[in-house]
């Protein structure tokens, strides 16, 4: 048993999947919301490629977009693990809403909680808890996995900063009003010139550009951002000038656990559909779940899901316990994204021809699963992170 596992066990004394009373109540409330309000909207939002604004408003009213935000700023003041439960439970019904809540909590709010000064926290965390969506703007056309190759530039204009460049693949781009955005203030210094800024949608020179048409999580907007001499106040530097690389790395480590939660949520949804369908579908005079071959497939799916859930929960509990969780977060994201893709694909096969058409839900779970191995660090980048931490380089 590793030191980290021992520390968690001594802290909680309970299995990872055992929830406290507060956690159980919270999960039950999110489950009720997902079934009652979200599920009836899923197909239409997927078809229209747009989140229902009324649903986003309900997410704010339920406190789902400010879970870790301190109560003094209008948030719930809950744990990181609580946010993970919300992402999982929502993604079980629709991963697009799961990632909306994930990005807001694990990336945007977390960056401000950890790196924002008191004035920034009071101003922006309050808005993000009350009704404004946030987005995290790191990627560019030439800087995907090589995030620090960014070309977006910052010029000090004395009384403000001017930012010029283009960002791509920005989740929540259409809905967001507050962006944690990264740009290089000193290109000669390489990655040590990268700086994090809080950019508002209404700042002069800021435009939301093209919206991508995607395979999965179609209701979640993914856009480009265009900055042309975008004027950003000096007080909107998040952290320190030249320390943006540290902000991005440490925030994304937490975000990867959120993506893991999204993946186990949609895998749960796919498995639940497969269980229901195989109990109803009759062939050769009995339900197909009475055939050993089908039973074995269901058992394999359930086992993979449980392993993924344990990895995600472990990483989240480690984060809340103040332990080093970087390797565990990378492992959780890597494994859960693979598990989600396999489980949702198997669900389609168990449905047969019905699984291949949009009248049934499992094809969407498979489409949504594919992004898990790509965003917030590809699977290859997770493997590289894990290996480096194992061999000490």
């Amino acid at each position: 048993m590793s030191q980290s596992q021992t520390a968690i066990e001594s802290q909680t004394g309970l299995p990872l999947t055992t929830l406290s009373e507060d956690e159980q109540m919270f999960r039950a409330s999110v489950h009720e919301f997902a079934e009652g309000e979200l599920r009836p909207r899923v197909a239409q939002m997927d078809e229209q490629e747009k989140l229902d604004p009324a649903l986003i408003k309900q997410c704010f009213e339920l406190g789902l977009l400010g879970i870790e935000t301190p109560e003094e700023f209008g948030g719930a003041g809950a744990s990181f693990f609580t946010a993970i439960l919300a992402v999982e439970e929502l993604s079980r019904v629709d991963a697009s809403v799961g990632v909306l809540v994930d990005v807001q909590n694990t990336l945007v709010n977390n960056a401000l909680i950890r790196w924002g000064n008191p004035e920034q926290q009071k101003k922006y965390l309050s808005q993000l808890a009350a009704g404004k969506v946030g987005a995290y703007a790191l990627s560019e056309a030439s800087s995907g996995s090589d995030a620090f190759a960014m070309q977006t530039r910052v010029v000090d204009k004395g009384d403000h900063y001017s930012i010029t460049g283009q960002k791509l693949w920005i989740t929540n781009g259409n809905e967001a009003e507050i962006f944690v955005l990264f740009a290089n203030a000193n290109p000669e210094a390489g990655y040590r010139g990268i700086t994090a800024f809080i950019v508002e949608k209404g700042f002069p020179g800021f435009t939301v550009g093209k919206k991508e048409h995607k395979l999965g999580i179609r209701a979640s907007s993914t856009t480009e951002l265009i900055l042309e001499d975008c004027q950003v106040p000096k007080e909107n530097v998040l952290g320190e000038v030249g320390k943006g690389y540290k902000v991005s790395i440490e925030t994304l480590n937490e975000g990867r656990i959120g993506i893991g939660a999204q993946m186990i949520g949609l895998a749960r949804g796919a498995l639940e559909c497969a269980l229901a369908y195989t109990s109803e579908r009759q062939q050769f005079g009995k339900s197909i779940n009475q055939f050993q071959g089908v039973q074995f497939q269901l058992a394999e799916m359930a086992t993979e899901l449980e392993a993924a859930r344990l990895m995600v929960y472990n990483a989240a509990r480690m984060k809340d316990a103040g332990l080093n969780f970087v390797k565990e977060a990378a492992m959780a994201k890597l494994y859960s994204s693979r598990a989600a893709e396999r489980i949702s694909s198997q669900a389609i096969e168990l449905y047969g021809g019905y699984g291949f058409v949009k009248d049934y839900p499992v094809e969407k779970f498979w489409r949504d699963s594919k992004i898990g191995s790509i965003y917030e660090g590809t699977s290859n980048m997770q493997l590289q992170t894990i290996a480096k931490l194992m061999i000490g380089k």
Side-chain angles (χ1 to χ4, degrees), residues 9 13 108 172 337 343:
E9 185 176 354
V108 180
N172 297 349
S337 63
I343 290 167

Side-chain angles (χ1 to χ4, degrees), residues 243-257:
K243 294 295 179 67
Y245 69 94
K246 186 174 178 65
V247 176
S248 66
I249 289 173
E250 296 191 9
T251 307
L252 284 171
N253 285 333
E254 298 169 358
R256 285 166 186 157
I257 307 174

Side-chain angles (χ1 to χ4, degrees), residues 85-381:
L85 287 178
V87 174
E88 178 189 358
E89 204 62 44
L90 292 167
S91 300
R92 172 184 159 272
V93 176
D94 188 0
S96 291
V97 178
V99 79
L100 165 78
V101 171
D102 174 36
V103 167
Q104 181 104 347
N105 283 287
T106 71
L107 295 183
V108 180
N109 292 347
N110 250 325
L112 286 161
I113 290 168
R114 182 159 186 181
W115 302 98
N117 60 42
E119 292 76 21
Q120 291 171 339
Q121 291 179 345
K122 182 178 180 181
K123 179 178 181 179
Y124 289 109
L125 284 174
S126 299
Q127 294 180 49
L128 288 161
K132 290 191 176 180
V133 174
Y136 192 84
L138 178 65
S139 297
E140 299 179 6
S142 60
S143 59
S145 293
D146 184 9
F148 297 151
M150 66 179 61
Q151 299 299 307
T152 300
R153 297 292 183 249
V154 184
V155 178
D156 189 335
K157 294 290 188 177
D159 63 337
H160 70 278
Y161 288 108
S162 170
I163 303 180
T164 298
Q166 180 189 33
K167 295 291 181 180
L168 288 181
W169 316 115
I170 308 306
T171 302
N172 297 349
N174 273 351
E175 295 80 15
E177 296 182 70
I178 298 168
F179 298 78
V180 174
L181 186 141
F182 297 83
N184 202 319
N186 183 10
E188 292 75 23
Y191 73 91
R192 293 188 180 276
I194 294 171
T195 304
F197 297 88
I198 306 168
V199 178
E200 298 181 30
K201 191 173 187 176
F203 282 175
F206 181 89
T207 306
V208 177
K210 173 190 173 186
K211 177 179 178 293
E212 303 294 341
H213 298 285
K214 309 189 299 291
L215 170 73
I217 57 168
R218 287 160 53 88
S220 168
S221 65
T222 303
T223 72
E224 67 174 343
L225 306 178
I226 301 166
L227 299 100
E228 298 176 308
D229 187 22
C230 178
Q231 299 174 35
V232 179
K234 286 286 184 75
E235 61 266 25
N236 277 41
V237 171
L238 182 62
E240 300 176 36
V241 173
K243 294 295 179 67
Y245 69 94
K246 186 174 178 65
V247 176
S248 66
I249 289 173
E250 296 191 9
T251 307
L252 284 171
N253 285 333
E254 298 169 358
R256 285 166 186 157
I257 307 174
I259 299 304
Q262 182 195 31
M263 292 295 110
I264 62 174
L266 74 85
R268 269 182 61 202
L271 177 56
E272 288 171 5
C273 287
L275 286 167
Y277 182 79
T278 55
S279 70
E280 297 167 2
R281 174 67 168 168
Q282 296 279 321
Q283 289 287 274
F284 306 103
K286 56 184 176 181
S287 300
I288 62 173
N289 68 1
Q290 298 304 303
F291 294 101
Q292 191 179 63
V294 171
Q295 292 174 351
F296 284 1
Q297 292 174 65
L298 293 169
E300 292 279 7
M301 295 160 74
T303 301
E304 250 191 306
L305 173 57
E306 185 66 10
R309 180 187 288 114
L310 287 167
M311 294 181 78
V312 171
Y313 281 18
N314 182 57
R317 298 285 196 195
M318 289 179 69
K319 193 273 182 186
D320 278 334
L323 301 169
N324 187 324
F325 60 90
V326 175
K327 174 166 64 69
E328 287 76 10
M331 287 178 167
K333 181 184 182 296
L334 173 71
Y335 188 82
S336 63
S337 63
R338 289 176 171 176
E341 192 172 341
R342 286 192 292 260
I343 290 167
S344 56
S345 177
Q346 188 63 65
I348 291 174
E349 292 184 29
L350 288 169
Y351 268 69
Y354 292 117
F356 203 68
V357 298
K358 290 196 173 187
D359 293 338
Y360 290 81
V362 286
E363 61 85 30
K364 181 180 181 298
F365 285 119
W366 179 80
R367 288 190 287 109
D368 289 348
S369 74
K370 192 59 196 175
I371 191 62
S373 63
I374 300 171
Y375 61 6
E376 293 195 34
T378 65
S379 290
N380 281 341
M381 294 304 294

